[in-house]
Amino acid sequence: MGAEFGIGASVKRKEDFRFVTGRGNYLDDINRPGQAYGYFVRSPYAHAKIAGIDAKKASKMPGVVRVLTGADLEADKIGGLICGWNVKSKDGTDTRMPKHPALASDTVRYVGDAIALVVAETYAQARDAAEAVKVKYDVLPAQIDVSKADKKGAAIVHADVRRNMAYDWEIGDKKATDAAFAKAAHVAKLDLVNNRVAPNAMEPRAAIGEYSASDDSFTLYTTSQNPHVARLVLSAFVQIAPEHKLRVVSPDMGGGFGSKIFIYPDETAVIWAAKKVGRPVKWTSDRAEAFQTDCHGRDHVTHVELALDQGGKFLGLRVSTKANMGAYLSTFASCVPSYLYGTLLQGQYTTGAIHCEVKAVFTHTTPVDAVRGAGRPEATYVIERIIDVAARDLKIDPADLRRRNMIQPNAFPYQTQVALQYDSGNYPAALTKALEIADYKGFAQRRDEAKRRGKLRGIGLSSYIEACGIAPSAVVGALGCGVGLYEGATVRMNPTGSAIVYIGSHSHGQGHETTFSQVVHERLGVPFEQIEIVHGDTGKIPFGMGTYGSRSIAVGGVALQNAVDKLIEKGRKIAAHKLEVAESDIQFKDGTYSVVGTDKKTSFAEVTFAAYVPHNYPAGLEPGMEATAFYDPANFTFPAGTHVCEVEVDPDTGGVEVVKWSACDDFGRIINPMIVEGQVHGGIAHGIGQALLEGCVYDKSGQLLTASYMDYAMPRADNFPTIKVDTIQTPCPHNALGVKGCGEAGAIAAPPAVVNAIANALNVKHVEMPATAERVWQALNA
Amino acid sequence: MATHKVTMKVNGKAVSGEVESRTLLVHFLRETLRLTGTHVGCDTSQCGACTVHMNGESVKSCSLFAVQCEGQDIQTIEGVATGDQLHPMQQAFKDNHGLQCGYCTPGMIMTALDMVRRIPSPSEQEIRKNLEGNMCRCTGYHNIVKSIAAGAKAMAGAR
């Protein structure tokens, strides 16, 4: 259809008008009639027994409606939070999933663990009263160091979890890997830490619980990337209400990056409290709460070894990781350092044998779950770092070493050593293009020029792969996932020709209203501005799994395309009737049905009108023009590419400046290049943030030292150079749009590119993230 | 808690309301006046999502008490466009994909307008430097920088 608004056009976003004028509708912008405000009493200790809670004084303070505690929750038989993915240990045993009450009544296990919810007339009154709730704590030793969490003498987080071990998992062929190492000409080895990061969506989480006594139903307004998943958990496990009596609404969201996937204690307590106090209850997180309670990401301690032959071919990869789960298992926590990590260790390479073991352990820290990339950044960091160590050991150019080992474009489908089957790609082409954009050949000259200015210039590559479009339900089900991971979309045509799309994917900045409208416009010819996208409301949309893992276009978009195809087929019957020919004589193109070889035609809009005013209509055909499709993907999608980073280090201070960034990504077919580029920019910045600036730091007692923007270094505009990105397109062969997804690529690719560049500049083996000026200076002066 | 009556000009209109001594300007704007385009992203005046103009200069509305603004002239994001006609800076953000989730955007635009007032045609480096008080997690700032450069140019053209 029209190139201006169709697939492949950089259409300006239709959602932007409301956002640039301040008319967005974020959760904290909503107030409900009669609303009260909630504020949580949270533990100031990482580990303590609760010896008593005295809310007498607080209850009498101005405006206080009620103080609710864990005992009230238990009395109402409200269940705890759950983890939806059972990862089996090496010995076949299940993931240890300890109880996770929304309000702790017996023991607190991290700083920020909620104990009571104070409900008052205003936010300020609730906060004042929360400070007056007296909690008596018997403080216990806390286990903070992840590397020692499973060792003898570690403080135990859950009495029913031996050695703090949630699971001890492995993937790959240990024997084959040992054999590969036995015949290696060289083995590169590295110990590394993948630093804990806070997600930091700019909009803090928030929720309003509302109960309607007239029909005994609940409405939860919440910042959720997946409102149906929230409804399912709150119904089936927490037992707030049956699914048909619980509506979950998630309006405009100010970013998510994974943190708004999970079902947290906060919204659980708020929706329960709404019925308890008989009024809507609103809670909005402040930033300090966000740092303490939004699930953190990464936090791995890893040993990696790469075996190479004489010619630099990768023979085997051996990885051993300890992954921090924090104090409780969050909603999808268990799958992140296992099935989203170990399965990606093939990278872009033909490595002959791989073995990875992961011990997931509890500590007295904020729960850890998916943050942008989720497991795949950790896998990419391991692979791309050890390759550079090997290149340094063997004095081979890092780009050359990668190229020698890359899976060739004619080798697809490619069965990896770690369960996945790559569907398509052209890794050498992306590498070549990225190196061209980066002027890799000219680097030596730039390095020499920098040296004359007293700066150490380094260059680093990262050739990443990710598994997106999560996921084929049968596959994830076999691996222990408790839900299916399809997506649902409904297209409802209106009699006058406009369209409303109801879809399970939910935008939190990705521009779905624009991209999905382009998909509909391309096929049906409905004018772009006459397409409305409705998402984020379980009262309106088909059951859907939401947005994470770069799945919106690759799963939701394909469901939408399939729903559109159903409409086209129905319309074909109406068109055939109207044009008095057989259906097989009708072709559909650019929004028009025509009779092959004649000038007889009718538009999709005319056919739609006929479907709603069926005066002259095919016998037996239902009126109406509306279709729903659920799409369960046949495989993951596999975006991949190469990013090249150049840094300059000031040897006097250790300060690092990223001076050049060049990337070539393969996301398959691209619907809106402008939006895709924006996603890549943001991902790169997120990854550079992790590599240079960000990190959650706990002291030995478990206090989070980085719980504000004064202490946690968020990337700012002057931390980045102009970013140059380009793409190659190898379409995904197993979905109708040929798309792969792009939301996480930058965050996956960036950290190793930065650290490789720093190691190159300094001529050292490794520098840990975040590579702060102090760390870099220490590495330089070691 | 004692309350005070405050009166100020917001987006060209005289407004007043009862506030506690501790009520921040941002909460007065959001809760009393229901001007929810000004956002709160932190508790330490770092993120800039709450940036508004007071007497033509950008301020973080989380770092002022409402009572401090007695008699002052406040402009929020809701006062930037003329009806449905976007201001050139707003248009530049839309045209250059300078926003994704949109949460930081009102603060970014208010900061950008103040920046252009002080530096009519800022260089890329000047834009990046002058965004030190505004955080964005989505865009990597790349397209925000482009938007502000384009907005500044459009504003110069309009003068």
Side-chain angles (χ1 to χ4, degrees):
Chain A
M1 203 49 204
E4 199 184 346
F5 294 105
I7 289 178
S10 284
V11 180
K12 306 285 183 260
R13 303 199 322 169
K14 52 165 65 181
E15 40 275 87
D16 284 358
F17 181 82
R18 67 176 187 272
F19 293 140
V20 299
T21 53
R23 298 179 201 177
N25 184 37
Y26 301 93
L27 207 131
D28 192 56
D29 301 342
I30 299 170
N31 284 337
R32 301 295 302 161
Q35 167 184 296
Y37 292 79
Y39 193 88
F40 287 95
V41 177
R42 298 187 184 278
S43 172
Y45 299 108
H47 190 200
K49 278 269 175 207
I50 300 172
I53 302 171
D54 179 359
K56 274 201 242 26
K57 188 181 161 210
S59 301
K60 291 186 189 120
M61 286 180 60
V64 172
V65 176
R66 185 97 184 245
V67 180
L68 295 161
T69 65
D72 299 314
L73 206 63
E74 283 162 28
D76 285 359
K77 299 195 166 38
I78 297 297
L81 281 311
I82 60 146
C83 173
W85 202 309
N86 179 13
V87 174
K88 300 259 187 188
S89 286
K90 286 173 188 167
D91 62 6
T93 55
D94 295 335
T95 300
R96 310 298 192 274
M97 297 189 183
K99 282 188 183 148
H100 185 187
L103 297 172
S105 56
D106 176 65
T107 305
V108 286
R109 294 186 171 86
Y110 67 100
V111 171
D113 211 352
I115 295 162
L117 173 63
V118 178
V119 181
E121 296 296 336
T122 71
Y123 177 82
Q125 287 170 334
R127 189 170 185 156
D128 287 345
E131 283 173 20
V133 173
K134 286 192 191 122
V135 184
K136 190 166 180 296
Y137 298 97
D138 293 334
V139 180
L140 298 165
Q143 185 60 40
I144 304 303
D145 181 353
V146 60
S147 66
K148 294 190 179 117
D150 61 334
K151 300 277 192 273
K152 219 175 149 185
I156 294 298
V157 183
H158 297 276
D160 53 348
V161 181
R162 217 181 133 252
R163 292 175 60 198
N164 290 323
M165 188 87 72
Y167 58 72
D168 181 1
W169 175 86
E170 66 178 340
I171 193 166
D173 189 334
K174 188 168 191 302
K175 234 168 102 181
T177 306
D178 289 345
F181 273 81
K183 61 178 183 194
H186 178 75
V187 175
K189 298 181 182 180
L190 183 65
D191 288 296
L192 60 86
V193 172
N194 201 297
N195 47 325
R196 177 186 277 242
V197 293
N200 278 306
M202 293 316 301
E203 178 208 26
R205 290 187 296 114
I208 305 172
E210 187 166 353
Y211 174 70
S212 163
S214 72
D215 60 357
D216 191 31
S217 74
F218 291 81
T219 302
L220 174 66
Y221 299 84
T222 183
T223 46
S224 173
Q225 298 173 219
N226 32 237
H228 270 115
V229 178
R231 192 186 71 169
L232 182 65
V233 170
L234 291 171
S235 282
F237 298 95
V238 181
Q239 311 266 321
I240 294 293
E243 279 183 283
H244 63 290
K245 291 289 186 188
L246 174 60
R247 176 179 165 208
V248 176
V249 181
S250 175
D252 285 333
M253 250 186 300
F257 313 106
S259 67
K260 293 168 182 169
I261 298 172
F262 322 119
I263 294 85
Y264 289 89
D266 317 286
E267 60 265 25
T268 304
V270 160
I271 186 73
W272 160 73
K275 184 176 180 184
K276 214 74 191 145
V277 303
R279 294 169 62 175
V281 178
K282 179 178 187 174
W283 164 80
T284 304
S285 170
D286 62 29
R287 185 55 60 184
E289 275 182 295
F291 272 112
Q292 289 179 357
T293 68
D294 290 1
C295 285
H296 294 168
R298 323 287 190 248
D299 207 349
H300 285 194
V301 178
T302 294
H303 177 75
V304 51
E305 299 182 356
L306 178 66
L308 301 95
D309 73 7
Q310 211 69 49
K313 275 274 185 194
F314 303 159
L315 300 175
L317 181 73
R318 193 184 268 153
V319 178
S320 174
T321 292
K322 219 168 272 182
N324 198 342
M325 295 283 95
Y328 300 96
L329 273 189
S330 170
T331 316
F332 289 110
S334 53
C335 76
V336 176
S338 51
Y339 291 112
L340 295 178
Y341 170 68
T343 53
L344 271 300
L345 289 169
Q346 189 82 48
Q348 299 188 356
Y349 312 104
T350 56
T351 312
I354 299 171
H355 182 255
C356 168
E357 57 177 13
V358 179
K359 290 179 167 65
V361 295
F362 292 105
T363 59
H364 291 103
T365 60
T366 299
V368 178
D369 205 321
V371 170
R372 198 171 199 169
R376 292 150 289 175
E378 295 91 314
T380 301
Y381 190 62
V382 166
I383 301 165
E384 294 302 297
R385 215 43 293 283
I386 194 67
I387 290 175
D388 265 38
V389 171
R392 183 169 183 265
D393 288 351
L394 300 173
K395 299 187 170 53
I396 302 175
D397 175 80
D400 182 33
L401 184 58
R402 283 174 172 79
R403 193 182 298 280
R404 279 186 214 181
N405 286 282
M406 277 179 173
I407 296 164
Q408 292 304 301
N410 60 5
F412 296 97
Y414 185 88
Q415 181 58 51
T416 73
Q417 302 296 317
V418 276
L420 297 175
Q421 193 185 70
Y422 295 165
D423 60 354
S424 62
N426 191 340
Y427 312 141
L431 173 64
T432 300
K433 201 163 179 182
L435 295 178
E436 275 169 24
I437 300 166
D439 181 25
Y440 192 68
K441 287 196 188 116
F443 171 71
Q445 207 181 337
R446 295 192 293 279
R447 184 190 55 208
D448 295 345
E449 185 276 326
K451 200 169 178 186
R452 287 195 290 276
R453 287 184 283 111
K455 294 285 177 70
L456 302 172
R457 189 156 175 138
I459 192 162
L461 272 70
S462 169
S463 298
Y464 72 96
I465 189 163
E466 48 174 332
C468 293
I470 292 171
S473 296
V475 173
V476 296
L479 300 178
C481 182
V483 292
L485 288 170
Y486 47 83
E487 196 53 81
T490 297
V491 182
R492 179 181 298 164
M493 293 304 302
N494 296 311
T496 52
S498 64
I500 308 178
V501 172
Y502 303 86
I503 192 159
S505 308
H506 188 18
S507 188
H508 42 288
Q510 298 89 336
H512 290 184
E513 290 164 55
T514 302
T515 301
F516 290 153
S517 295
Q518 288 179 254
V519 171
V520 173
H521 172 75
E522 172 82 18
R523 293 280 282 151
L524 295 181
V526 178
F528 179 74
E529 64 280 9
Q530 290 184 30
I531 302 163
E532 185 76 11
I533 308 296
V534 175
H535 47 197
D537 184 345
T538 64
K540 296 178 178 170
I541 59 172
F543 196 92
M545 301 310 292
T547 289
Y548 39 83
S550 305
R551 71 193 299 276
S552 290
I553 195 65
V555 191
V558 177
L560 175 58
Q561 172 85 343
N562 291 348
V564 164
D565 282 344
K566 287 186 184 182
L567 293 184
I568 291 170
E569 286 318 303
K570 180 166 185 180
R572 191 185 303 274
K573 293 186 200 317
I574 303 168
H577 176 85
K578 219 175 145 191
L579 301 173
E580 299 177 319
V581 293
E583 266 180 66
S584 54
D585 293 332
I586 299 271
Q587 68 168 12
F588 183 78
K589 197 166 174 268
D590 294 345
T592 302
Y593 296 96
S594 58
V595 181
V596 185
T598 74
D599 61 355
K600 283 166 73 175
K601 59 184 181 183
T602 183
S603 70
F604 183 72
E606 287 166 339
V607 162
T608 296
F609 186 78
Y612 285 106
V613 188
H615 295 164
N616 176 15
Y617 201 65
L621 188 67
E622 285 179 30
M625 191 57 94
E626 173 169 335
T628 296
F630 285 88
Y631 172 68
D632 201 331
N635 191 358
F636 296 88
T637 61
F638 298 96
T642 292
H643 287 223
V644 186
C645 169
E646 273 181 61
V647 297
E648 285 188 3
V649 176
D650 182 337
D652 294 333
T653 64
V656 177
E657 189 185 354
V658 176
V659 290
K660 198 163 190 262
W661 198 281
S662 321
C664 179
D665 299 292
D666 178 3
F667 301 127
R669 194 170 172 218
I670 289 173
I671 311 292
N672 185 320
M674 175 193 80
I675 288 177
V676 167
E677 268 193 29
Q679 289 293 309
V680 177
H681 294 154
I684 291 167
H686 210 142
I688 294 174
Q690 176 177 14
L692 288 183
L693 302 164
E694 299 181 43
C696 298
V697 180
Y698 286 92
D699 73 6
K700 279 182 190 156
S701 75
Q703 289 299 326
L704 181 59
L705 302 179
T706 50
S708 84
Y709 287 143
M710 308 291 278
D711 308 294
Y712 185 97
M714 279 281 278
R716 300 187 192 234
D718 61 354
N719 295 122
F720 304 113
T722 295
I723 294 166
K724 284 188 198 157
V725 298
D726 205 341
T727 55
I728 59 166
Q729 298 192 23
T730 62
C732 173
H734 60 79
N735 69 46
L737 285 171
V739 293
K740 297 184 178 182
C742 66
E744 298 161 296
I748 293 168
V754 175
V755 176
N756 287 342
I758 295 171
N760 177 256
L762 270 49
N763 190 22
V764 298
K765 183 179 177 185
H766 185 57
V767 179
E768 293 285 15
M769 300 190 292
T772 56
E774 189 205 346
R775 274 199 173 132
V776 170
W777 191 90
Q778 296 284 3
L780 202 51
N781 291 279
Chain B
M1 179 118 1
T3 62
H4 313 267
K5 189 181 178 200
V6 288
T7 302
M8 63 187 87
K9 203 154 119 190
V10 176
N11 299 331
K13 272 194 287 190
V15 296
S16 59
E18 283 291 319
V19 297
E20 289 185 6
S21 310
R22 61 182 171 179
T23 301
L24 300 173
L25 173 60
V26 65
H27 294 132
F28 177 71
L29 294 170
R30 288 182 55 81
E31 298 301 330
T32 308
L33 304 181
R34 295 300 288 151
L35 292 170
T36 55
T38 302
H39 298 146
V40 180
C42 74
D43 345 302
T44 52
S45 331
Q46 294 284 303
C47 80
C50 68
T51 306
V52 299
H53 290 178
M54 183 160 82
N55 306 325
E57 294 185 14
S58 68
V59 291
K60 289 182 173 172
S61 60
C62 73
S63 60
L64 283 168
F65 293 114
V67 291
Q68 286 177 285
C69 303
E70 174 69 34
Q72 307 300 308
D73 185 355
I74 305 292
Q75 190 189 26
T76 71
I77 189 68
E78 288 91 345
V80 174
T82 309
D84 280 350
Q85 180 67 43
L86 294 181
H87 183 282
M89 187 59 79
Q90 292 171 312
Q91 189 65 44
F93 270 73
K94 186 177 192 308
D95 289 346
N96 291 280
H97 192 26
L99 61 149
Q100 290 182 24
C101 80
Y103 197 78
C104 75
T105 309
M108 287 286 177
I109 290 173
M110 298 315 281
T111 295
L113 290 172
D114 188 49
M115 192 190 305
V116 175
R117 181 185 62 78
R118 290 180 287 111
I119 315 167
S121 50
S123 68
E124 179 184 339
Q125 283 319 308
E126 284 173 320
I127 295 171
R128 289 185 183 274
K129 188 78 200 151
N130 279 277
L131 283 177
E132 65 181 356
N134 291 74
M135 289 179 186
C136 168
R137 190 55 141 176
C138 294
T139 64
Y141 303 97
H142 185 97
N143 287 343
I144 292 177
V145 173
K146 259 171 75 178
S147 301
I148 294 174
K153 213 171 155 192
M155 285 167 70
R159 272 196 289 269

